[in-house]
């Protein structure tokens, strides 16, 4: 399975704004980091991810899913090297998980949120995903579809 974490400054694009987009979802535009872009290029329809409020709040507030595969980023003004995916809100995190919570838990010491803090689109391991969901009060969290062999 594949899980991700998407960082957004809530004053730029908030969880409430993401939820308001409904099933149509929204392009995850403006990513100008090659590793983050490559992460989006690897995503599949239905992959789940955490929506993380960065700069303000510093917490995982919800779960999203990929609803459109990697395509040219409409905010890149025709520059073909930048792609994005579309994501839609799936569920609120009943108890938001703060960065402080993550850093205090030894189970997350290798998590990209701790080791690659500036990366805006990050991979999340299955174990990290399910542990954060458990800590956040999601007993039966939405799951990404199984990954087919490459």
């Amino acid at each position: 399975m594949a899980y991700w974490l998407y960082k957004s400054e809530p004053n730029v694009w908030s969880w409430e704004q993401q939820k308001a987009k409904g099933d149509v979802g929204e392009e995850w535009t403006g990513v100008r980091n090659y590793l983050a872009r490559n992460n989006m290029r690897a995503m599949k329809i239905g992959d789940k991810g955490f929506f993380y409020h960065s700069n303000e709040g510093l917490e995982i507030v919800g779960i999203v899913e990929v609803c459109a595969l990697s395509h040219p980023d409409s905010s890149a003004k025709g520059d073909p090297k930048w792609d994005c995916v579309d994501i839609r809100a799936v569920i609120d995190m009943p108890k938001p998980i703060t960065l402080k919570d993550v850093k205090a838990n030894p189970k997350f010491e290798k998590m990209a949120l701790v080791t690659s803090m500036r990366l805006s689109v990050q991979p999340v391991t299955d174990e990290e995903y399910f542990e954060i969901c458990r800590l956040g009060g999601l007993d039966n969290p939405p799951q990404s579809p199984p990954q087919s062999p490459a």
Side-chain angles (χ1 to χ4, degrees), residues 59-93:
E59 60 189 358
I60 295 168
V61 294
I63 294 179
V64 295
E65 74 178 359
V66 175
C67 59
L69 294 175
S70 178
H71 57 85
D73 181 334
S74 65
S75 73
K77 300 189 184 350
D79 187 340
K81 69 180 170 243
W82 301 116
D83 292 353
C84 67
V85 294
D86 291 14
I87 60 172
R88 65 176 155 230
V90 175
I91 191 169
D92 291 317
M93 187 64 69

Side-chain angles (χ1 to χ4, degrees), residues 1 9-11 24 38 47-48 52 65-66 69 78 83 85 88-89 92 103-104 108 110 113 117 119:
M1 292 188 242
E9 296 176 21
N11 64 324
V24 174
N38 292 345
D47 280 0
K48 304 301 184 283
Y52 178 84
E65 74 178 359
V66 175
L69 294 175
D83 292 353
V85 294
R88 65 176 155 230
D92 291 317
K103 286 183 169 184
F108 302 126
K110 294 182 181 176
L113 187 59
M117 292 204 37
L119 188 60

Side-chain angles (χ1 to χ4, degrees), residues 1-127:
M1 292 188 242
Y3 297 98
W4 310 94
L5 183 139
Y6 304 83
K7 289 182 171 184
S8 183
E9 296 176 21
N11 64 324
V12 176
W13 186 255
S14 72
W15 176 237
E16 292 304 317
Q17 289 172 294
Q18 184 67 51
K19 291 191 305 183
K21 287 305 222 171
D23 285 342
V24 174
E26 180 71 6
E27 283 187 316
W28 199 255
T29 60
V31 173
R32 300 297 182 265
N33 173 285
Y34 288 105
L35 182 54
R37 180 212 55 196
N38 292 345
N39 287 337
M40 289 192 288
R41 286 181 174 177
M43 293 175 184
K44 308 286 186 223
I45 296 291
D47 280 0
K48 304 301 184 283
F50 294 124
F51 192 102
Y52 178 84
H53 277 164
S54 63
N55 289 353
E56 296 173 28
L58 302 176
E59 60 189 358
I60 295 168
V61 294
I63 294 179
V64 295
E65 74 178 359
V66 175
C67 59
L69 294 175
S70 178
H71 57 85
D73 181 334
S74 65
S75 73
K77 300 189 184 350
D79 187 340
K81 69 180 170 243
W82 301 116
D83 292 353
C84 67
V85 294
D86 291 14
I87 60 172
R88 65 176 155 230
V90 175
I91 191 169
D92 291 317
M93 187 64 69
K95 176 188 176 273
I97 301 299
T98 67
L99 178 60
K100 188 175 179 179
D101 296 333
V102 171
K103 286 183 169 184
N105 189 325
K107 291 183 179 182
F108 302 126
E109 66 186 4
K110 294 182 181 176
M111 187 174 183
L113 187 59
V114 174
T115 64
S116 302
M117 292 204 37
R118 295 185 56 84
L119 188 60
S120 62
V121 179
Q122 310 175 349
V124 174
T125 68
D126 292 5
E127 295 78 15

